[in-house]
Amino acid sequence: KQEVTQIPAALSVPEGENLVLNCSFTDSAIYNLQWFRQDPGKGLTSLLLIQSSQREQTSGRLNASLDKSSGRSTLYIAASQPGDSATYLCAPHFNKFYFGSGTKLNVKP
Amino acid sequence: GAVVSQHPSWVICKSGTSVKIECRSLDFQATTMFWYRQFPKQSLMLMATSNEGSKATYEQGVEKDKFLINHASLTLSTLTVTSAHPEDSSFYICSARAQRPGQGGSTEAFFGQGTRLTVV
């Protein structure tokens, strides 16, 4: 079973800052990795899918990098906004999807 | 992206009754569906993996007789919580994947919006 760790567990920043969210996983034999956001009491919204053969993937202000050999992925959020406040989850795909405990982000106006 | 519909979005039931949750892939055929539960302020815990036409594979510690999973078609999987108790109250989320790794096609997972179950 994959062990997925996300650091930091919580983050509170003023609006406009660039952020780094970290994800590590124990088994590097993944097919891809997805980043999600979850708003309180809601389901998951897929943010980025990065294939195992890729090093990074970008969507708007979001950029995800993947170092499969070391079992790490990083989500960069540029110019953070209050609307980015949510819990961010990474899920490496090892035939199944296991989730980290998430990073709870609060962006203050 | 593809759409996964989960129904109901919330349900309240009496202790001892059974509750069925449906998960449908609306615009693609899902060879594999995953079921998760999430307790307040915790992450998603994988309960089981179901492949169309075969028995579900349960994660360690998940009671298969209590959480019945049926994946009878390529667009529908159901989770039935049998003889529900208050400790079963949780947020249940399903996920669907079109293809298994190595079969070609997208292996991206799409998630339903979840079902909040409250057992009283």
Side-chain angles (χ1 to χ4, degrees), chain B residues 18-86:
Chain B
S18 295
V19 174
K20 180 183 286 188
I21 302 170
E22 293 187 348
C23 180
R24 293 180 184 272
S25 56
L26 298 185
D27 49 3
F28 69 100
Q29 293 185 325
T31 57
T32 306
M33 289 190 174
F34 305 92
W35 287 94
Y36 297 84
R37 68 185 299 181
Q38 184 178 36
F39 292 108
K41 299 185 179 180
Q42 295 187 24
S43 190
L44 282 75
M45 183 191 79
L46 179 64
M47 299 174 66
T49 302
S50 72
N51 294 302
E52 187 266 338
S54 61
K55 290 184 179 180
T57 302
Y58 290 81
E59 295 295 300
Q60 190 173 8
V62 178
E63 299 176 62
K64 63 179 181 181
D65 294 330
K66 181 164 187 63
F67 299 101
L68 301 179
I69 293 173
N70 183 280
H71 191 167
S73 78
L74 284 171
T75 59
L76 174 65
S77 177
T78 60
L79 167 67
T80 301
V81 183
T82 63
S83 187
H85 288 95

Side-chain angles (χ1 to χ4, degrees), chain A residues 24-74:
Chain A
S24 62
F25 43 95
T26 52
D27 192 328
S28 62
I30 63 169
Y31 298 103
N32 55 48
L33 183 145
Q34 285 183 252
W35 281 93
F36 298 88
R37 69 174 278 170
Q38 185 178 31
D39 294 285
K42 303 293 185 181
L44 302 182
T45 300
S46 181
L47 298 173
L48 287 166
L49 167 69
I50 183 165
Q51 300 291 349
S52 62
S53 58
Q54 296 177 313
R55 297 285 291 182
E56 63 179 84
Q57 189 69 252
T58 298
S59 175
R61 294 183 293 108
L62 304 179
N63 174 277
S65 67
L66 176 64
D67 185 343
K68 180 182 170 183
S69 60
S70 66
R72 295 181 182 181
S73 179
T74 302

Side-chain angles (χ1 to χ4, degrees), chain A residues 1 6 31-32 34 36 38 41-46 49 51 89 93 95-102 104, chain B residues 34 36 38 42-44 46 49 57 59 91 93 95 97 100-102 106-109 111-114 116:
Chain A
K1 179 183 173 181
Q6 288 188 245
Y31 298 103
N32 55 48
Q34 285 183 252
F36 298 88
Q38 185 178 31
K42 303 293 185 181
L44 302 182
T45 300
S46 181
L49 167 69
Q51 300 291 349
L89 299 162
H93 181 189
N95 202 30
K96 305 177 183 180
F97 294 85
Y98 292 104
F99 283 84
S101 52
K104 186 174 182 179
Chain B
F34 305 92
Y36 297 84
Q38 184 178 36
Q42 295 187 24
S43 190
L44 282 75
L46 179 64
T49 302
T57 302
E59 295 295 300
F91 192 54
I93 303 178
S95 171
R97 180 181 68 190
R100 303 184 199 185
S106 173
T107 58
E108 184 175 359
F111 284 77
Q113 287 304 299
R116 184 160 303 284

Side-chain angles (χ1 to χ4, degrees), chain A residues 78-90:
Chain A
S80 58
Q81 302 172 357
D84 295 332
S85 298
T87 296
Y88 289 80
L89 299 162
C90 75

